[in-house]
Amino acid sequence: MSRTIPTPPKPARVIARRRNGAARRVEISAQEVEEAFRLLQYVPIPEARQLRDKLEAVLRPVCHWASSRTGRYSNHPTWGPCGVFVSAANQRCVEHQWPLPDGVQDPFPERCTVTLDEELEDSRWVEYSGGLRCPFKRRRGSERCAHHDPRDGELCGYPVDGGTTCTTAEGVFACHTHRHARLTGLKSELEQLPLTLRCGYCDAALGESCTNRNGQAVAFHKKRVNAVQSSPEHQELSDTIEWLRL
């Protein structure tokens, strides 16, 4: 039976020096740091204990999970590595133990059960998730969130070629492909919303632009803009625009 021969540590080397020639920063292998940490346990002085605590923090293992999906224009993972402290090497943190082994209780029973993949092409999913399990709450009566178990009225619906509409789910985020086009249209609609009210300053009727004393068209008067800002239509458009910007 073959025996595994441990790889010897690389010798320490100076990677930066002070102006007087003394070492400023040294690269040393973790194996040698571990040995120094072990030996310091036998030195019963406060300074040794403080140094031992510093080395212990340096040697503390972390979850090293990273997404197997790489970025669209790079070789780096779309998410990770994690870096959360764990109790032992080769151990994953709670977030990255998904999918759970049989018999293990779900630490997040209200969360969606979908494992992310193509979603990580969207930077919003990278930001809001841990890169592995969907971060959003399940919808009532389902093990999935509104994005992964959409209902009628929760699809993008933007017109596409052939007379059909986009079927991307929008239970959590707006459709990445069409949100900019929708933002442009909604912003224009919001800017023209004062036309739905008459102006209390220049008496411009519904659908007419504000005018100055000479009858020339001008920007909407502040009184007219303030009046429309308190309307339900303005609030609904503002909320939709804010959601599209997520």
Side-chain angles (χ1 to χ4, degrees), residues 3-60:
R3 297 178 61 184
T4 301
I5 301 175
T7 304
K10 293 183 179 180
R13 66 188 184 93
V14 177
I15 57 176
R17 291 189 179 275
R18 294 184 173 89
R19 291 184 178 181
N20 61 7
R24 179 183 183 89
R25 191 173 295 114
V26 178
E27 184 180 77
I28 186 171
S29 72
Q31 292 166 280
E32 291 180 325
V33 176
E34 290 170 354
E35 181 64 16
F37 173 77
R38 186 185 66 81
L39 294 174
L40 284 170
Q41 297 179 10
Y42 301 102
V43 183
I45 59 175
E47 291 81 1
R49 187 160 51 250
Q50 292 175 4
L51 180 57
R52 188 175 69 240
D53 291 343
K54 290 181 180 180
L55 295 182
E56 184 179 22
V58 171
L59 295 170
R60 188 176 177 185

Coordinates of all heavy atoms in Angstrom, one line a residue, residues 3-60:
R3 N 2.2 5.0 0.5 CA 2.1 6.0 1.6 C 2.2 7.4 1.0 O 3.0 7.7 0.0 CB 3.2 5.8 2.6 CG 3.1 4.4 3.3 CD 4.3 4.3 4.3 NE 4.2 5.3 5.3 CZ 5.2 5.4 6.2 NH1 6.2 4.6 6.3 NH2 5.0 6.4 7.1
T4 N 1.4 8.3 1.5 CA 1.4 9.7 1.1 C 2.5 10.4 1.7 O 2.6 10.4 3.0 CB 0.0 10.4 1.4 OG1 -1.0 9.7 0.7 CG2 0.1 11.8 0.9
I5 N 3.4 11.0 0.9 CA 4.5 11.7 1.5 C 4.1 13.2 1.5 O 3.8 13.8 0.5 CB 5.8 11.6 0.6 CG1 6.2 10.1 0.5 CG2 6.9 12.4 1.2 CD1 7.3 9.8 -0.4
P6 N 4.1 13.8 2.7 CA 3.7 15.2 2.8 C 4.7 16.1 2.1 O 5.9 15.9 2.0 CB 3.8 15.5 4.3 CG 4.7 14.5 4.9 CD 4.5 13.3 4.0
T7 N 4.2 17.1 1.4 CA 5.0 18.1 0.7 C 5.7 19.0 1.7 O 5.1 19.6 2.6 CB 4.1 19.0 -0.2 OG1 3.3 18.1 -1.1 CG2 4.9 19.9 -1.0
P8 N 7.1 19.1 1.6 CA 7.8 19.9 2.5 C 7.4 21.4 2.3 O 7.2 21.8 1.1 CB 9.3 19.6 2.2 CG 9.2 19.2 0.7 CD 7.9 18.4 0.6
P9 N 7.4 22.2 3.4 CA 7.1 23.6 3.2 C 8.1 24.3 2.4 O 9.3 24.0 2.5 CB 7.0 24.1 4.6 CG 7.9 23.1 5.4 CD 7.7 21.8 4.7
K10 N 7.7 25.3 1.7 CA 8.7 26.2 1.0 C 9.4 27.0 2.0 O 8.9 27.4 3.0 CB 7.9 27.1 0.0 CG 7.3 26.3 -1.2 CD 6.7 27.3 -2.1 CE 6.1 26.6 -3.3 NZ 5.4 27.5 -4.3
P11 N 10.7 27.3 1.7 CA 11.4 28.1 2.7 C 10.9 29.5 2.7 O 10.4 30.1 1.7 CB 12.9 28.1 2.1 CG 12.7 27.8 0.7 CD 11.5 26.9 0.6
A12 N 11.0 30.1 3.9 CA 10.5 31.5 4.1 C 11.4 32.5 3.2 O 12.6 32.2 3.0 CB 10.6 31.9 5.5
R13 N 10.8 33.5 2.7 CA 11.5 34.5 1.9 C 11.1 35.9 2.2 O 9.9 36.1 2.5 CB 11.5 34.2 0.4 CG 10.1 34.3 -0.2 CD 10.0 33.8 -1.6 NE 8.7 34.1 -2.2 CZ 8.5 35.2 -3.0 NH1 9.4 36.1 -3.2 NH2 7.3 35.3 -3.5
V14 N 12.0 36.8 2.1 CA 11.6 38.2 2.3 C 11.0 38.8 1.1 O 11.6 38.7 0.0 CB 12.9 39.0 2.7 CG1 12.5 40.5 2.9 CG2 13.5 38.5 4.0
I15 N 9.8 39.4 1.2 CA 9.2 40.0 0.0 C 9.2 41.5 0.1 O 8.7 42.1 -0.9 CB 7.7 39.4 -0.1 CG1 6.9 39.7 1.2 CG2 7.7 37.9 -0.4 CD1 5.4 39.3 1.0
A16 N 9.6 42.1 1.2 CA 9.7 43.5 1.3 C 10.8 43.9 2.3 O 10.8 43.2 3.4 CB 8.4 44.2 1.6
R17 N 11.5 44.9 2.1 CA 12.6 45.3 3.0 C 12.4 46.8 3.4 O 11.9 47.6 2.6 CB 14.0 45.1 2.5 CG 14.3 43.6 2.4 CD 15.8 43.4 2.0 NE 16.1 42.0 1.9 CZ 16.5 41.2 2.9 NH1 16.5 41.8 4.2 NH2 16.8 40.0 2.8
R18 N 12.9 47.2 4.6 CA 12.9 48.6 5.0 C 14.1 49.2 4.3 O 15.0 48.6 3.7 CB 13.1 48.7 6.5 CG 11.9 48.1 7.3 CD 12.0 48.3 8.8 NE 10.8 48.0 9.5 CZ 10.5 46.8 10.0 NH1 11.4 45.8 9.8 NH2 9.4 46.6 10.6
R19 N 14.2 50.5 4.5 CA 15.3 51.3 3.8 C 16.6 50.9 4.4 O 17.7 51.1 3.8 CB 15.0 52.8 4.0 CG 13.8 53.3 3.1 CD 13.7 54.8 3.2 NE 12.6 55.2 2.4 CZ 12.2 56.5 2.3 NH1 12.9 57.4 3.0 NH2 11.2 56.9 1.5
N20 N 16.6 50.5 5.7 CA 17.9 50.1 6.3 C 18.3 48.7 6.0 O 19.3 48.2 6.5 CB 17.8 50.3 7.8 CG 16.8 49.4 8.4 OD1 16.2 48.6 7.8 ND2 16.5 49.6 9.7
G21 N 17.6 48.0 5.1 CA 18.0 46.7 4.7 C 17.3 45.6 5.5 O 17.4 44.4 5.1
A22 N 16.7 45.9 6.6 CA 16.1 44.9 7.4 C 14.8 44.4 6.8 O 14.2 45.1 6.0 CB 15.8 45.4 8.8
A23 N 14.4 43.2 7.1 CA 13.1 42.6 6.6 C 11.9 43.4 7.0 O 11.8 43.7 8.2 CB 13.0 41.1 7.0
R24 N 11.0 43.7 6.1 CA 9.8 44.4 6.4 C 8.6 43.4 6.4 O 7.7 43.5 7.2 CB 9.6 45.5 5.5 CG 8.3 46.3 5.7 CD 8.1 47.4 4.7 NE 6.9 48.2 4.9 CZ 6.9 49.3 5.7 NH1 8.1 49.7 6.3 NH2 5.8 50.0 5.9
R25 N 8.6 42.6 5.4 CA 7.5 41.6 5.2 C 8.1 40.3 4.7 O 8.9 40.3 3.8 CB 6.4 42.2 4.2 CG 5.1 41.4 4.2 CD 4.1 42.0 3.3 NE 3.7 43.3 3.9 CZ 3.9 44.5 3.3 NH1 4.6 44.5 2.2 NH2 3.6 45.6 3.9
V26 N 7.6 39.2 5.3 CA 8.2 37.9 5.0 C 7.0 36.9 4.6 O 6.0 37.0 5.2 CB 8.9 37.3 6.2 CG1 9.5 35.9 5.9 CG2 10.1 38.2 6.7
E27 N 7.3 36.1 3.6 CA 6.3 35.1 3.2 C 6.8 33.8 3.8 O 7.9 33.3 3.6 CB 6.3 35.0 1.7 CG 5.3 34.0 1.2 CD 5.3 33.9 -0.3 OE1 6.2 33.3 -0.9 OE2 4.4 34.6 -1.0
I28 N 5.9 33.2 4.6 CA 6.2 32.0 5.3 C 5.1 31.0 5.1 O 3.9 31.4 5.0 CB 6.5 32.3 6.8 CG1 6.9 31.0 7.5 CG2 5.2 32.8 7.5 CD1 7.4 31.3 9.0
S29 N 5.4 29.7 5.0 CA 4.3 28.7 4.8 C 3.4 28.5 6.0 O 3.9 28.7 7.1 CB 5.0 27.4 4.4 OG 5.6 26.8 5.5
A30 N 2.2 28.1 5.7 CA 1.3 27.9 6.8 C 1.7 26.7 7.7 O 1.5 26.7 8.9 CB -0.1 27.6 6.3
Q31 N 2.5 25.8 7.2 CA 3.0 24.6 8.0 C 3.9 25.2 9.1 O 3.9 24.7 10.2 CB 3.7 23.6 7.1 CG 2.7 22.9 6.1 CD 3.5 22.1 5.1 OE1 3.9 22.7 4.1 NE2 3.7 20.8 5.3
E32 N 4.8 26.1 8.7 CA 5.7 26.6 9.7 C 5.0 27.5 10.7 O 5.3 27.5 11.9 CB 6.8 27.4 9.0 CG 7.7 26.6 8.2 CD 8.8 27.4 7.5 OE1 8.5 28.5 7.1 OE2 9.9 26.9 7.4
V33 N 3.9 28.2 10.3 CA 3.1 29.0 11.2 C 2.4 28.1 12.2 O 2.3 28.3 13.4 CB 2.1 29.9 10.5 CG1 1.2 30.6 11.5 CG2 2.8 30.9 9.6
E34 N 1.9 27.0 11.7 CA 1.2 26.0 12.6 C 2.2 25.4 13.6 O 1.8 25.2 14.7 CB 0.6 24.8 11.7 CG -0.6 25.3 10.9 CD -1.0 24.2 9.9 OE1 -0.2 23.2 9.7 OE2 -2.0 24.4 9.2
E35 N 3.4 25.2 13.2 CA 4.4 24.6 14.1 C 4.8 25.7 15.2 O 4.9 25.4 16.3 CB 5.7 24.2 13.3 CG 6.8 23.7 14.2 CD 6.4 22.3 14.8 OE1 5.4 21.7 14.4 OE2 7.2 22.0 15.8
A36 N 4.9 27.0 14.7 CA 5.2 28.0 15.7 C 4.0 28.2 16.7 O 4.2 28.3 17.9 CB 5.4 29.3 15.0
F37 N 2.8 28.0 16.2 CA 1.6 28.1 17.1 C 1.7 27.0 18.1 O 1.4 27.2 19.3 CB 0.4 28.0 16.2 CG -0.9 27.9 17.0 CD1 -1.4 29.0 17.6 CD2 -1.6 26.7 17.2 CE1 -2.6 29.0 18.4 CE2 -2.7 26.6 17.9 CZ -3.2 27.7 18.5
R38 N 2.0 25.8 17.7 CA 2.1 24.6 18.6 C 3.1 24.8 19.7 O 2.9 24.6 20.8 CB 2.4 23.3 17.8 CG 2.3 22.1 18.6 CD 2.7 20.9 17.8 NE 4.2 20.9 17.4 CZ 5.1 20.6 18.2 NH1 4.9 20.1 19.5 NH2 6.4 20.6 17.8
L39 N 4.3 25.3 19.3 CA 5.4 25.5 20.2 C 5.1 26.7 21.2 O 5.5 26.6 22.4 CB 6.7 25.8 19.5 CG 7.2 24.7 18.6 CD1 8.5 25.1 17.9 CD2 7.6 23.5 19.5
L40 N 4.3 27.7 20.8 CA 4.0 28.8 21.7 C 3.1 28.4 22.8 O 3.0 29.1 23.8 CB 3.4 29.9 20.8 CG 4.3 30.8 20.0 CD1 3.6 31.7 19.1 CD2 5.3 31.6 20.9
Q41 N 2.4 27.3 22.6 CA 1.5 26.8 23.7 C 2.3 26.4 25.0 O 1.8 26.3 26.1 CB 0.7 25.6 23.2 CG -0.2 25.9 22.1 CD -1.0 24.7 21.6 OE1 -1.0 23.7 22.2 NE2 -1.7 24.9 20.5
Y42 N 3.6 26.2 24.8 CA 4.5 25.8 25.9 C 5.2 26.9 26.6 O 6.0 26.7 27.5 CB 5.5 24.7 25.5 CG 4.8 23.4 24.9 CD1 4.8 23.2 23.5 CD2 4.2 22.5 25.7 CE1 4.2 22.1 23.0 CE2 3.6 21.4 25.2 CZ 3.6 21.2 23.8 OH 3.0 20.1 23.3
V43 N 5.0 28.1 26.1 CA 5.6 29.3 26.6 C 4.6 30.1 27.5 O 3.7 30.7 26.9 CB 6.2 30.2 25.5 CG1 6.9 31.4 26.1 CG2 7.0 29.4 24.5
P44 N 4.8 30.0 28.8 CA 3.7 30.6 29.7 C 3.9 32.1 30.1 O 3.9 32.4 31.2 CB 3.9 29.7 31.0 CG 5.4 29.4 31.0 CD 5.8 29.3 29.6
I45 N 4.1 32.9 29.0 CA 4.2 34.3 29.3 C 3.1 35.1 28.5 O 2.7 34.6 27.4 CB 5.6 34.9 29.0 CG1 5.9 34.6 27.5 CG2 6.6 34.2 29.9 CD1 7.3 35.2 27.1
P46 N 2.7 36.2 28.9 CA 1.6 36.9 28.2 C 1.9 37.3 26.8 O 1.0 37.2 25.9 CB 1.4 38.2 29.1 CG 1.9 37.8 30.4 CD 3.0 36.9 30.2
E47 N 3.1 37.6 26.5 CA 3.5 38.0 25.1 C 3.3 36.8 24.2 O 2.9 37.0 23.1 CB 4.9 38.5 25.1 CG 5.2 39.9 25.8 CD 5.3 39.7 27.3 OE1 5.2 38.6 27.8 OE2 5.5 40.8 28.0
A48 N 3.7 35.6 24.7 CA 3.6 34.4 23.9 C 2.1 34.1 23.6 O 1.7 33.7 22.5 CB 4.3 33.3 24.5
R49 N 1.3 34.3 24.6 CA -0.1 34.1 24.5 C -0.8 35.0 23.5 O -1.6 34.6 22.7 CB -0.8 34.2 25.9 CG -2.3 33.8 25.8 CD -2.8 33.4 27.2 NE -2.5 34.5 28.2 CZ -1.6 34.4 29.2 NH1 -0.9 33.3 29.3 NH2 -1.4 35.4 30.0
Q50 N -0.4 36.3 23.5 CA -0.9 37.3 22.5 C -0.5 36.9 21.1 O -1.3 37.0 20.2 CB -0.4 38.7 22.9 CG -0.9 39.2 24.2 CD -0.3 40.5 24.5 OE1 0.5 41.1 23.8 NE2 -0.7 41.1 25.7
L51 N 0.8 36.5 20.9 CA 1.2 36.1 19.6 C 0.5 34.8 19.2 O 0.2 34.7 18.0 CB 2.8 35.8 19.6 CG 3.4 35.4 18.3 CD1 3.1 36.4 17.2 CD2 4.9 35.2 18.5
R52 N 0.3 33.9 20.1 CA -0.4 32.7 19.7 C -1.9 33.0 19.3 O -2.4 32.4 18.3 CB -0.5 31.7 21.0 CG -1.0 30.3 20.6 CD -0.9 29.4 21.8 NE -1.8 29.8 22.9 CZ -1.4 30.1 24.1 NH1 -0.1 30.2 24.4 NH2 -2.3 30.5 25.0
D53 N -2.5 33.9 19.9 CA -3.9 34.3 19.5 C -3.9 34.9 18.1 O -4.8 34.6 17.3 CB -4.4 35.3 20.5 CG -4.7 34.7 21.9 OD1 -4.8 33.5 22.0 OD2 -4.9 35.5 22.9
K54 N -2.9 35.7 17.8 CA -2.8 36.3 16.4 C -2.6 35.2 15.4 O -3.2 35.2 14.3 CB -1.6 37.3 16.4 CG -1.8 38.5 17.2 CD -0.7 39.5 17.0 CE -0.9 40.8 17.8 NZ 0.3 41.7 17.6
L55 N -1.7 34.2 15.7 CA -1.5 33.1 14.7 C -2.7 32.3 14.6 O -3.0 31.8 13.5 CB -0.3 32.3 15.2 CG 1.1 33.0 15.2 CD1 2.2 32.0 15.6 CD2 1.4 33.6 13.9
E56 N -3.4 32.1 15.7 CA -4.6 31.3 15.6 C -5.7 31.9 14.7 O -6.3 31.2 13.9 CB -5.2 31.1 17.0 CG -6.5 30.2 17.1 CD -7.0 30.0 18.5 OE1 -6.7 30.9 19.3 OE2 -7.7 29.0 18.7
A57 N -5.8 33.2 14.8 CA -6.7 33.9 13.9 C -6.3 33.8 12.4 O -7.2 33.6 11.5 CB -6.8 35.4 14.3
V58 N -5.0 33.8 12.2 CA -4.5 33.7 10.8 C -4.8 32.3 10.2 O -5.1 32.1 9.1 CB -3.0 34.0 10.7 CG1 -2.4 33.6 9.4 CG2 -2.7 35.5 11.0
L59 N -4.6 31.3 11.1 CA -4.8 29.9 10.7 C -6.2 29.4 10.6 O -6.5 28.3 10.2 CB -4.0 29.0 11.6 CG -2.4 29.2 11.6 CD1 -1.8 28.4 12.7 CD2 -1.9 28.7 10.3
R60 N -7.1 30.2 11.1 CA -8.5 29.8 11.2 C -9.1 29.5 9.8 O -9.0 30.3 8.9 CB -9.4 30.8 11.9 CG -10.8 30.4 12.2 CD -11.6 31.5 12.9 NE -12.9 31.1 13.2 CZ -13.8 31.9 13.7 NH1 -13.5 33.1 14.0 NH2 -15.1 31.5 13.9

